[in-house]
Amino acid sequence: MLTFSQRLKELAERGRGVVVLTGAGMSAESGVPTFRGKDGFWEKESVEDLATPWGFARDPAKVWRWYDERRRQIAACRPNAGHLSLAAYEARCGDLPLVTQNIDGLHAAAGSRRVLELHGNIFRVRCERDGLVTEDRRTPLPVIPPACSCGGLLRPDVVWFGETLPARVMEEATAAAESADLFLVIGTSSVVYPAAGLPAVAGAAGAWVVEINPEETPLSDQVDEVLRGKAAEVLPALLGGAP
Ligand code: OAD
């Protein structure tokens, strides 16, 4: 049975200064595969080929075929009870900075309003030539690799390994971590930086840091409290369910 510390119960009930960081495990119960672990993408696929700027330069069609399939899978997924719990909690608290490494857009689909997407969004495309970013939700894409109206090659508007995160989003995420009283780290293996450094930023600034994850991670022994369970079960129990 899951139990919460008195401190956590009080902070969650107060609902001020709560900040959330999510990773792929947040969407696992929506049917979106994670990256690591036995069924994770990076067990079967090559990070170098599919998630680096040099992999894309080498073979854009290969990268786009993989993203096209992921877009199709994600388009069929719906927010789970965890996403909905966070959105309902935000509506009650008024403000809930929600930093996510996920590119699936499921937090916004659940109704969360202050979503800080550190790694971009799979339903946006960006022109390699003129830098224009546009939303494109078509699945499948009619042409692979897709091209911009300027003739440039389009790429997914996501952050790949070897690339820097969008500076303004990272600044806002860091500022939120620095001002947090309660920092919830949900469904991330905590190995990809700089996102994995945010719990330490929050902890150093005095936040109560809580990990929600069914598995142990490198962060587990550095946090104030660990809730071993799935996001879609733990969050409604901690923050309340969707109305
Ligand atoms: P990972 O796949 O590395 O980790 C997923 C975590 O979710 C693991 O620690 C699991 O134990 C946990 N998990 C699984 N099911 C869960 C559930 N139902 N509830 C809660 N937790 C669960 O995913 P991330 O940490 O998000 O980057 O990976 C970070 C980044 O690496 C991703 O954003 C992506 C990837 O390569 C880029 O594409 C740039």
Side-chain angles (χ1 to χ4, degrees):
M1 235 267 298
L2 205 59
T3 52
F4 307 128
S5 70
Q6 194 55 33
R7 175 97 180 252
L8 174 56
K9 281 194 259 186
E10 282 166 17
L11 287 165
E13 201 157 304
R14 195 169 61 129
R16 271 202 319 271
V18 185
V19 177
V20 176
L21 170 67
T22 66
M26 180 78 225
S27 299
E29 289 147 283
S30 293
V32 183
T34 60
F35 293 95
R36 296 171 185 81
K38 66 174 169 35
D39 297 322
F41 282 126
W42 300 152
E43 285 300 306
K44 298 168 268 179
E45 314 278 1
S46 155
V47 179
E48 288 283 320
D49 285 354
L50 300 173
T52 63
W54 48 93
F56 185 66
R58 213 164 35 224
D59 194 344
K62 177 178 179 170
V63 174
W64 264 117
R65 278 193 297 274
W66 190 67
Y67 274 92
D68 200 38
E69 176 55 19
R70 286 200 64 205
R71 285 160 56 101
R72 192 189 61 73
Q73 285 174 353
I74 291 172
C77 295
R78 297 288 166 263
N80 63 51
H83 295 107
L84 296 171
S85 167
L86 288 170
Y89 185 66
E90 179 188 24
R92 289 198 303 280
C93 302
D95 185 33
L96 183 71
L98 202 168
V99 185
T100 187
Q101 299 166 85
N102 299 345
I103 58 176
D104 54 33
L106 289 176
H107 284 301
S112 285
R113 289 175 307 227
R114 194 165 162 205
V115 184
L116 304 174
E117 291 179 322
L118 288 179
H119 293 166
N121 189 298
I122 199 166
F123 294 112
R124 287 195 310 256
V125 294
R126 185 166 87 233
C127 178
E128 292 241 286
R129 187 187 290 169
D130 63 20
L132 190 71
V133 174
T134 45
E135 189 182 78
D136 186 339
R137 304 193 72 89
R138 291 173 300 170
T139 53
L141 286 165
V143 181
I144 282 184
C148 180
S149 54
C150 78
L153 182 62
L154 289 171
R155 58 164 281 176
D157 188 31
V158 300
V159 177
W160 284 325
F161 289 96
E163 298 183 318
T164 47
L165 272 57
R168 253 192 295 161
V169 182
M170 190 59 204
E171 273 164 31
E172 203 180 327
T174 306
E178 283 167 349
S179 66
D181 295 321
L182 172 62
F183 193 84
L184 302 176
V185 188
I186 307 166
T188 175
S189 57
S190 293
V191 294
V192 176
Y193 283 79
L198 289 170
V201 171
W208 187 253
V209 181
V210 179
E211 177 180 69
I212 299 174
N213 196 314
E215 308 283 340
E216 192 172 345
T217 76
L219 186 73
S220 301
D221 61 4
Q222 293 166 42
V223 297
D224 298 298
E225 189 164 347
V226 174
L227 303 176
R228 282 270 166 264
K230 296 179 173 179
E233 291 164 9
V234 176
L235 288 168
L238 177 64
L239 306 176

